[in-house]
Each structure stands twice: as C-alpha cells, then as structure tokens.
C-alpha cells in the first residue's frame, strides 16, 4: 500500500511514506543531489584497455616470516601449496571470466578473458575483489590443510593489475612465472638438502653462490642421490587452474507411459575448475586446451 503526501514529496513535517522501496528511492535521490557530490570528481578513471587480457597477480606479503612462524616444511610444504590452490579455486569459481590461473610458492596469477566486463573493467575493483576473496578463503580453509595447528595471525597479500594485448604476450608472461617456479624450486631443493646435511644457512648460501642449474643438479645427484627431474611436478611446474567440461552421473525420476516412476541414471555435462601440474611453456598444453585463448584477429 502506498500513502504519500505529494505536496511534501521530499520530506518535512507531515510526510508519510509507507512504501519502503519508495522511501529508499527518495533518500538516494536526495543524497545523489547533495552539495557534497562534487567529491566524486576526484576519482581517477582506471578502466582497463579494451581487447586486452587482464592479469591480476596476488603475492604473499612478508611470507617468509609467516612461513617461519607457522613452521612450513622445507623445501616445500604441500599443506601450504594445497591451501594456496584451494584459495585460488574459490576466486576462479566466483569470477567465471577467469580463463586460467597459475600459481607457485606464495603467488597466484588470474587471467581474465579479453571481452570481460566484470566491474566495468575497473582495475581497482578487479584487484581488490580478487585479493580480498583470495585472502578470506586462505583463512577460511586453513583448518582443512593445517588441522589443529592454529593460525597465529592473518596472512597478508598484495595485488597488481597488468594488461597483455596478445596471446603471445600472455603466454610469455605465464612462461616467465613458470620459469621462476623452476629456478626457485631448484635452488630451494639444493639449499635445504645442504642445510639438512649439516651446513648452516650461511654456508649453504656460500656453497651455491655463482652456481648454474647444471651445478645444482650435479650436487643433488652426486651428494644426495636425487634426480631433480623425478621431483614432484607440483613443485617443479606449479599449478594451473582452468575450466573444463566433465561428464558426471545424475539420478533422475522418470515416468514412462503406463508405468510407475523409476530412477534413471543419466550423464550430465558440467563445467568445473580443474587442476593441472604440467608444462605450460611449450605448445602441447595450449593445443590440448584451445578454449583458453581468444583469437588475436578479433
């Protein structure tokens, strides 16, 4: 029911508005036309350029201290890596315009498709939403991976937005991050093997100073019997999350003519976020998943 004194439309003594939605409209209209509205002009336009992939990268802030405090296992803690992936999955599932996410160590990169219009392509909105969703998911799912080990203090993540205009640029970016994963993991694998052997961290750093990848591989093999190529793909290649269609069984109630209802199992196609630990630098991954990239000629 609506009862309104029209001659006092914008308020004042005697105004009676019983329609809640109309009351909200009047209030918002009055606010929008207030003398203070000019402050909106101080906002800067941070709309991302059209026809570009939008990459939001999330990085752990001061995560070395966080890992020490929570006693992360060296050189790799699968609990921590699993939690990072779970947090990234929640972001991808929340924002379906993300075509691929890639992560390693304490970072994850989220790639929005070129045609995405989420948050009107505003960089600040995209970045803050991704970072806040990732951070809250990290805390929310902590117990799933660390059990009764308490979270001593909340983790902190920062973010940045970068635009890539072509498929080549985007693939090179992701190749750069996976190469970084390999370099860091090889170093950490040798470093912590030396420390566990009895060297101090300073001695291990000195031992590895100036060494190349071949030198590190030789130390691992000759002194520890470790073939780095046999190490976990999760550690060597990082984690890629992509959307894929999967067939899953679903039970339905079906009634045929002149028959009673019966349960029938049918297959249904559904999009899910799937995890891959593989090489994304070569062409094979992209050939197997052609839907990730959009045509450069568009």
């Amino acid at each position: 029911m609506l009862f309104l004194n029209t001659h006092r439309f914008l308020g004042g003594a005697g105004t009676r508005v019983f329609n809640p939605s109309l009351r909200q409209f009047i209030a918002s209209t009055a606010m929008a036309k207030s003398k203070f509205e000019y402050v909106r002009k101080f906002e800067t336009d941070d709309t991302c350029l059209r026809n570009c992939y939008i990459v939001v990268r999330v990085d752990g802030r001061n995560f070395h201290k966080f890992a020490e405090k929570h006693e992360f296992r060296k050189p790799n803690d699968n609990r921590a890596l699993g939690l990072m992936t779970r947090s990234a999955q929640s972001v991808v599932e929340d924002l379906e315009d993300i075509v691929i996410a890639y992560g390693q160590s304490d970072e994850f990169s989220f790639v929005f498709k070129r045609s995405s219009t989420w948050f009107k392509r505003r960089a600040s909105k995209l970045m803050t939403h991704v970072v806040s969703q990732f951070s809250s998911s990290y805390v929310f799912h902590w117990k799933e991976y660390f059990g009764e080990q308490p979270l001593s203090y909340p983790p902190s993540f920062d973010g940045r937005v970068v635009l890539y205009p072509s498929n080549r640029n985007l693939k090179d970016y992701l190749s750069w991050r996976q190469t970084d994963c390999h370099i860091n993991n090889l170093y950490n694998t040798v470093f912590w093997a030396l420390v566990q052997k009895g060297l101090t961290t300073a001695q291990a750093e000195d031992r590895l100073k100036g060494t190349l990848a071949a030198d590190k591989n030789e130390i691992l093999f000759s002194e520890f019997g470790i073939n780095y190529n046999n190490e976990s793909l999760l550690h060597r290649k990082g984690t890629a999350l992509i959307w894929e269609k999967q067939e899953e069984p679903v039970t339905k109630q079906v009634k045929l003519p002149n028959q009673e209802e019966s349960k029938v199992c049918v297959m249904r196609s559904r999009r899910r976020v799937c995890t891959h630990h593989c090489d994304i630098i070569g062409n094979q991954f992209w050939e197997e998943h052609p839907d990730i990239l959009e045509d450069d000629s568009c």
Side-chain angles (χ1 to χ4, degrees), residues 79 83 137-151:
R79 301 170 302 170
L83 180 55
S137 297
Y138 193 97
V139 174
F140 184 81
H141 294 289
W142 173 268
K143 280 193 173 182
E144 294 178 26
Y145 295 87
F146 285 86
E148 295 305 312
Q149 181 177 337
L151 184 61

Side-chain angles (χ1 to χ4, degrees), residues 13-157:
T15 300
R16 289 185 291 172
V17 182
F18 293 115
N19 188 316
S21 61
L22 183 57
R23 184 186 296 116
Q24 293 172 2
F25 168 76
I26 294 172
S28 62
T29 302
M31 286 295 293
K33 295 184 179 301
S34 74
K35 66 179 181 179
F36 306 111
E37 185 184 6
Y38 79 94
V39 297
R40 295 181 58 186
K41 297 178 181 179
F42 286 84
E43 295 183 19
T44 58
D45 181 12
D46 62 348
T47 304
C48 294
L49 191 65
R50 295 178 59 185
N51 202 35
C52 290
Y53 293 104
I54 304 172
V55 176
V56 179
R57 187 161 93 235
V58 175
D59 282 288
R61 180 179 177 274
N62 202 9
F63 234 64
H64 176 74
K65 176 184 175 182
F66 183 85
E68 290 293 332
K69 178 65 177 179
H70 293 90
E71 300 178 343
F72 283 13
R73 297 161 186 162
K74 306 296 185 181
N76 293 291
D77 192 320
N78 288 338
R79 301 170 302 170
L81 293 173
L83 180 55
M84 288 288 293
T85 299
R86 181 64 187 86
S87 303
Q89 181 182 338
S90 72
V91 175
V92 178
E93 290 174 342
D94 185 52
L95 299 171
E96 294 186 7
D97 273 6
I98 295 174
V99 291
I100 183 172
Y102 174 78
Q104 50 105 0
S105 186
D106 64 340
E107 72 169 56
F108 244 98
S109 297
F110 300 90
V111 181
F112 288 79
K113 63 183 182 182
R114 280 173 166 168
S115 55
S116 177
T117 56
W118 277 93
F119 304 112
K120 298 182 179 179
R121 294 181 71 87
R122 291 187 60 183
S124 57
K125 289 278 191 177
L126 289 163
M127 182 181 68
T128 53
H129 184 88
V130 169
V131 173
S132 62
Q133 177 75 20
F134 188 93
S135 302
S136 59
S137 297
Y138 193 97
V139 174
F140 184 81
H141 294 289
W142 173 268
K143 280 193 173 182
E144 294 178 26
Y145 295 87
F146 285 86
E148 295 305 312
Q149 181 177 337
L151 184 61
S152 300
Y153 64 91
S156 177
F157 297 91

